[in-house]
Amino acid sequence: MASQEIEALASALARLPGLGPRSARRAVLWLVKRRETALGQLLDALAAVQDTLVECTTCGNVDTRNPCSICADPRRDQKALCVVEDVADLWALDRARLFTGRYHVLGGRLSALEGVRPEDLNIAGLLARVEAGGIDEVVLAMNATLEGQTTAHYLAERLETFPVRITQLAHGLPVGGELDYLDEGTLAQALRARRPVG
Ligand SMILES: [Zn+2]
């Protein structure tokens, strides 16, 4: 039976996605054994983001500055915009370092089952960015799930009236595949082989 403090730490960690109570306890033990090195590093990293985390009002990315470091980077291709469901997808694609443009985070995907409607997603922000001009290509990088593809079709229709090329990730994506879980090679391949929607 561990102390109250250790139990509190374990249960806080157990709430993290992908960690259950068992792996949370293992993480606690791991940290306790390395309190001189890893624990201090973790505390510093947490403290550094605690007060500074913001959502980018342009693209929806999460960063310590607004506009985020991707939106603010002048070396990024202003003409290409990649639309993703979630911030985790943005990070996954950006880790692959193949897309040099900017991003737009929808904040989810259309889902009749979960009652997610177009107005629940940041579609208005996307249309406003495209309408503002200067964008040649919109890459719809939705997950290869039914809901992801429904969302992509909906967006393609809404974007039809704008003078932009609309592409989507190639179907090298495994069916049901979520971008965040793909290895970078698969993701890179899907992005490289992107094709027009429709
Ligand atoms: Zn941004």
Side-chain angles (χ1 to χ4, degrees):
M1 191 71 194
S3 77
Q4 210 180 345
E5 290 81 2
I6 287 181
E7 284 298 333
L9 175 58
S11 65
L13 288 174
R15 287 202 295 271
L16 295 173
L19 281 192
R22 197 183 144 88
S23 23
R25 279 194 297 272
R26 286 219 300 268
V28 169
L29 279 177
W30 188 90
L31 285 169
V32 166
K33 281 184 199 150
R34 292 162 184 81
R35 63 182 167 279
E36 300 297 331
T37 50
L39 186 55
Q41 257 176 25
L42 180 63
L43 282 173
D44 289 347
L46 287 173
V49 296
Q50 183 181 25
D51 299 321
T52 52
L53 272 194
V54 280
E55 193 171 289
C56 176
T57 45
T58 305
C59 74
N61 189 14
V62 173
D63 202 350
T64 53
R65 57 175 94 167
N66 178 24
C68 71
S69 38
I70 293 177
C71 285
D73 186 348
R75 291 164 303 181
R76 290 267 173 173
D77 180 2
Q78 315 250 5
K79 292 184 174 143
L81 193 63
C82 180
V83 185
V84 293
E85 295 176 21
D86 290 306
V87 175
D89 300 332
L90 186 165
W91 290 356
L93 278 166
D94 219 53
R95 275 200 305 272
R97 289 180 190 281
L98 265 161
F99 184 70
T100 55
R102 296 173 191 205
Y103 296 91
H104 188 88
V105 180
L106 290 174
R109 64 221 177 302
L110 296 176
S111 167
L113 209 61
E114 291 161 33
V116 182
R117 301 155 303 167
E119 54 268 39
D120 299 319
L121 304 176
N122 190 11
I123 293 173
L126 171 65
L127 297 177
R129 289 179 80 181
V130 174
E131 194 169 12
I135 292 170
D136 287 345
E137 181 185 7
V138 176
V139 185
L140 300 174
M142 275 55 267
N143 290 314
T145 57
L146 182 62
E147 288 159 335
Q149 294 311 300
T150 304
T151 309
H153 283 127
Y154 177 83
L155 291 178
E157 272 182 26
R158 295 291 304 268
L159 291 164
E160 222 172 45
T161 53
F162 297 101
V164 290
R165 199 153 48 96
I166 304 166
T167 56
Q168 64 182 7
L169 296 186
H171 278 266
L173 291 183
V175 173
E178 304 209 14
L179 300 188
D180 192 24
Y181 291 97
L182 298 179
D183 67 275
E184 286 169 20
T186 307
L187 207 50
Q189 176 57 30
L191 189 61
R192 227 181 276 126
R194 65 184 183 268
R195 54 185 175 75
V197 172

